[in-house]
Amino acid sequence: MKTKEEILIPNPRELKNHTKKVLKGNTAAAIAAKICRATFVTAYPITPQTSIIEEIASMIARGEYDAVSVNMESEHSVFAAIKGASLVGERVFTATSGQGLLYAHEVLHAIAHLRLPVVACNVGRPSYPWNIWCDQSDSLAQRDTGWIQFYCENSQEVLDTIIQAYFIAEKLHLPVLVVLDAFYVSHTNENVFIPDQKSVDAYLPSKINGQMDIDIYHPKAFGGLVAPDMYDKFNYLFWEDMNRVEAETNLAGTKFEKDFGRKYSAVESINIHSDTKKILVTLSSITTTVRGVIKDHPEVGLLKIRLLKPFPRKSILKALNKVSEDCVLITVDRNFMGDNEGALLSEIKKAMYGQTRKIFGVYAGLGGRDVPPATIQKIIEIDINSRESGEIVWIDR
Amino acid sequence: MKEESKYLIENENVYCGALSCRGCGWSLLARHVSSVMGTKTVYVVPACCFSIIAGPYPMNLLKGTVVHTLFAAAAATATGIRHSLNRQGKNDAPVVVLAGDGGTFDIGLQSLSGAAARGEDFIFICNNNGAYMNTGVQSSSATPIGSITTTNPDGKGTNAKDLMGIIAAHNIPYFATASLAFLDDLQQKIIKAKSIKGFRFIMIDSPCPPGHKYAPELSIEISRLAVETNYFPLFEAENGTYKINYLPKKKVSVSELLIRQGRFSHLFKNGTSKIIADVQKQIDLAWKKLNDRVKI
């Protein structure tokens, strides 16, 4: 039976195996966990993540979703429990935000270094003083934990990325954090096309357990003391697989397009060509605003970073392949990481190592500050000729 | 009377070569726990002495799965393991946490309390040697008053936390204390815990020669004295009904227990410290309270 908000669209190509609904980003995340058949979920409330775990709990209570959801007593335990469950071989899911993710930091390392294919959502908000609005400093502070990180532009991308995240996680034995913007995505209703279960099952087959999982009939020890030479080897193997992530992301995205009609890749370049003068580099929902504003600026391009960790250097260099040397990059950072430059600027500078292209950094939208089209316009109008490469602009100061 | 060695360990489920100190309580405990629990058990070990004793990668002291986990996260990790084993229909595979007092009384208390309150189906065993022994004898909230540690070089000034009281407040189906000097009692308690569903907790008073400062061969004698002096009474509570498992035949002064351990030696240096009399008073009061609970 169809719900009231369910609207059937007659026959557009991309909808042949989809249902269209109007959903918040958080609901899209919860539905993604369900259609990916994550069987073990842990929950601890934190604004603005809470409605994800609420929605999962109610889907389970209604008998629509076959999974166990356990209400833990902290985020440290939330991640420790999914670590245990993933070791046993279940497909696991959880979601958190801000302080919750920071509190779980220690466990994030353990999950990554145990090579567990965990997928978790983070609804980005800052830490302190209290602020519950959109910011990316929480997840960016986890860049060094060994998790793959995706940043999503809208609710559809949240749902689609979670499906691809399990595909990549289980292929490479690496955990994936799917990040969505607080409120701008988490609590904003949008049209979302939900793939049918059969198609998701075809894209993402049941998890196959192997040697890296607990097998009570063949006991072994996990996570015990490791001598330096073996520690070095483990990290080398980790490094090798981390180096595959960018290509696997593009592969997963291409396969996703084939099955569901929506294409995804590590980065997306919009209006980048040989005459482009400026390129704005963005994460998440700010990208949508930029898409609109640059329609009136044929000389301005947009480079959306979807895969943030590991940073997709090859894809970025490829996107900038045809761009002239005097075209500048302007990164838009919605995070203050206690450094001169924002995280995106740092990463872009690393990726651009050896090149002479000018790069500027903009701080915008911290702690949920609105970034309307007028702000994007201001960013485009920054007088780059009077500035040194690497200069930082606080756009609202 | 049967010779203890005849019936205690029927299925030896540990390999030789444990990395414990001489006279360590952990090794004896691990042998008894694993012989009862069987090889399908998943042991969850937060940071503690047993993290080392169980062997470095890829070794495994126990015939059973061992998951080494984070200090604060034993009960949470066990929660995930338990539910996932159940999802796979392996409900009969026991999950047992083997934690030290730090991972129980201090950093592990939150996740322990959470799991107990949720009624998670696993056994939590605390090997309580009354300090952070693995890092070299620093005080924990399980360290008894008067004990010298590297972080209380003049002797700890406050009492150990009443962890069993906290555990009792969670209304779990089974909790017990056990001693390595009373192996039959210990074994019966592990068997009983194994047979019950829900959250179960066993506290072991664990001897530690390097931490408590005495000769390794005295481990069992000192463990026995802790019970004989009512310093560590043996009791269990099944669905809230208390039972005392051992009644000392005659009253033995706590100074008999303390004087044998170097960690308390300063209490005996200039005459007898007031702390000893205070400890005796507390023991008598706690024993009375325990007896009152049994009567209810």
Side-chain angles (χ1 to χ4, degrees), chain A residues 66 74 83 85 88 90 222 225, chain B residues 57 66 68-69 84 88 110:
Chain A
D66 176 24
S74 76
K83 174 188 144 190
V88 177
E90 292 302 290
F222 296 84
L225 193 71
Chain B
Y57 173 88
V66 172
H68 295 272
T69 195
S84 295
Q88 296 173 1
Q110 177 178 295

Side-chain angles (χ1 to χ4, degrees), chain A residues 136-200:
Chain A
Q136 287 155 351
S137 52
D138 54 351
S139 53
L140 288 166
Q142 315 306 322
R143 273 177 297 170
D144 298 341
T145 56
W147 284 55
I148 297 167
Q149 291 195 0
F150 288 108
Y151 287 74
C152 300
E153 189 179 342
N154 52 45
S155 301
Q156 183 72 60
E157 191 171 326
V158 170
L159 184 136
D160 293 348
T161 300
I162 290 170
I163 301 170
Q164 293 165 67
Y166 280 108
F167 182 85
I168 297 163
E170 289 171 16
K171 195 165 181 186
L172 298 178
H173 288 276
L174 289 170
V176 183
L177 193 68
V178 178
V179 182
L180 54 149
D181 281 349
F183 300 104
Y184 294 120
V185 176
S186 69
H187 287 65
T188 303
N189 278 302
E190 294 182 303
N191 287 340
V192 176
F193 300 103
I194 303 170
D196 64 32
Q197 188 64 57
K198 206 177 135 203
S199 309
V200 178

Side-chain angles (χ1 to χ4, degrees), chain B residues 69-88:
Chain B
T69 195
L70 304 164
F71 212 168
T77 310
T79 297
I81 290 171
R82 175 74 276 159
H83 284 283
S84 295
L85 287 171
N86 291 356
R87 287 281 315 180
Q88 296 173 1

Side-chain angles (χ1 to χ4, degrees), chain B residues 2-15 25-38 62-63 180 183-184 186-188 190-191:
Chain B
K2 274 194 283 186
E3 272 179 60
E4 287 192 342
S5 60
K6 286 235 170 107
Y7 58 85
L8 277 172
I9 294 186
E10 284 176 357
N11 310 299
E12 184 71 84
N13 278 333
V14 300
Y15 295 100
W26 266 117
S27 287
L28 194 53
L29 176 65
R31 288 181 64 206
H32 283 276
V33 170
S34 61
S35 75
V36 173
M37 297 312 301
L62 299 176
K63 295 179 185 172
L180 296 168
L183 290 172
D184 195 25
L186 167 70
Q187 192 185 54
Q188 290 310 313
I190 301 166
I191 290 169

Side-chain angles (χ1 to χ4, degrees), chain B residues 26 29 33 36-37 96-100 104-105 112 122-128 163-164 167 172 174-180 185-196 199-205 232 234-237:
Chain B
W26 266 117
L29 176 65
V33 170
V36 173
M37 297 312 301
V96 177
V97 173
L98 297 174
T104 304
F105 287 66
L112 163 60
F122 62 81
I123 305 174
F124 194 114
I125 297 176
C126 173
N127 180 85
N128 179 8
L163 204 270
M164 294 311 282
I167 289 295
I172 57 173
Y174 185 74
F175 56 91
T177 61
S179 166
L180 296 168
D185 178 71
L186 167 70
Q187 192 185 54
Q188 290 310 313
K189 283 169 175 168
I190 301 166
I191 290 169
K192 186 174 274 183
K194 191 186 177 187
S195 72
I196 293 169
F199 195 86
R200 295 141 281 166
F201 183 91
I202 302 175
M203 168 89 77
I204 313 293
D205 176 42
F232 188 81
L234 297 182
F235 66 92
E236 65 188 333

Side-chain angles (χ1 to χ4, degrees), chain A residues 39-40 66-67 70-74 77 80-81 83-85 87-88 90 103 106-107 216 219-225 234, chain B residues 39-40 42 56-57 59-60 64-70 72-73 76-77 80-81 83-84 87-88 93 110-111 114 118 120:
Chain A
T39 53
F40 183 77
D66 176 24
V70 181
N71 301 326
M72 304 302 290
E73 82 296 330
S74 76
S77 287
K83 174 188 144 190
L87 260 180
V88 177
E90 292 302 290
Y103 188 35
E106 176 197 25
V107 198
I216 54 166
K220 51 186 176 289
F222 296 84
L225 193 71
F234 284 159
Chain B
T39 58
K40 282 199 285 183
V42 179
Y57 173 88
M59 287 187 273
N60 183 8
T65 303
V66 172
V67 176
H68 295 272
T69 195
L70 304 164
T77 310
I81 290 171
H83 284 283
S84 295
R87 287 281 315 180
Q88 296 173 1
Q110 177 178 295
S111 65
R118 288 191 303 272
E120 299 293 350

